[in-house]
Amino acid sequence: MTSAPAATPRPRESLADPGYQAFAILRIGFTVAPILFGLDKFTNWLVDWPGYLAPWIDDIVPGSAQQAMYAVGVIEIVAGLVVAVAPRFGGWLVAGWLAGIIVNLLTIPDYYDIALRDFGLLLGAVALARLAERYHHTSD
């Protein structure tokens, strides 16, 4: 037995839905944060980003750790933009990127707390991707 697709709610009705509100909050957060952190990879204003690159990764990527952070910054900016336009895909993209960051951090002594925080962010990115499956008709 198949059920008929749910009627597409009007935008005003969607804003009253707590699930849609959660989706919108996550979508905005996972758009803005990667873009801002990506831009900061070029300035190191918030933190000295090259210090967060595991030595073994620094050994295998060409150039300096700062040059690697430039590449990381571009990837993060692109990920934020993908979340903005296609959250069903962008949520999974950010989750995958965060998984890579977690692996990097787990190989640096004393960065386990940041890896745990990023695991929480990964769960949020997965929640965004799943909510986008439900609310894609009102968002992308």
Side-chain angles (χ1 to χ4, degrees):
M1 179 174 192
T2 60
S3 60
T8 304
R10 294 188 307 263
R12 194 169 285 252
E13 292 170 349
S14 295
L15 293 176
D17 176 8
Y20 183 80
Q21 292 169 5
F23 166 68
I25 290 166
L26 289 169
R27 185 177 188 180
I28 292 167
F30 282 108
T31 295
V32 173
I35 292 171
L36 291 179
F37 286 127
L39 290 171
D40 194 55
K41 300 298 190 290
F42 294 90
T43 65
N44 293 311
W45 184 71
L46 293 173
V47 68
D48 181 33
W49 291 107
Y52 288 85
L53 187 63
W56 68 272
I57 295 176
D58 193 19
D59 289 342
I60 62 174
V61 296
S64 68
Q66 182 58 56
Q67 290 169 327
M69 287 299 120
Y70 294 149
V72 166
V74 169
I75 293 167
E76 289 175 343
I77 292 166
V78 168
L81 294 172
V82 171
V83 168
V85 299
R88 287 187 290 171
F89 176 73
W92 291 113
L93 176 64
V94 170
W97 182 247
L98 285 163
I101 292 171
I102 292 165
V103 169
N104 169 73
L105 291 170
L106 289 175
T107 63
I108 305 172
D110 300 326
Y111 282 65
Y112 305 127
D113 57 332
I114 299 170
L116 180 61
R117 178 211 56 201
D118 285 353
F119 180 72
L121 289 171
L122 182 150
L123 295 176
V126 169
L128 169 64
R130 297 301 300 139
L131 285 167
E133 287 292 328
R134 167 67 174 91
Y135 295 105
H136 75 275
H137 58 273
T138 58
S139 62
D140 57 13

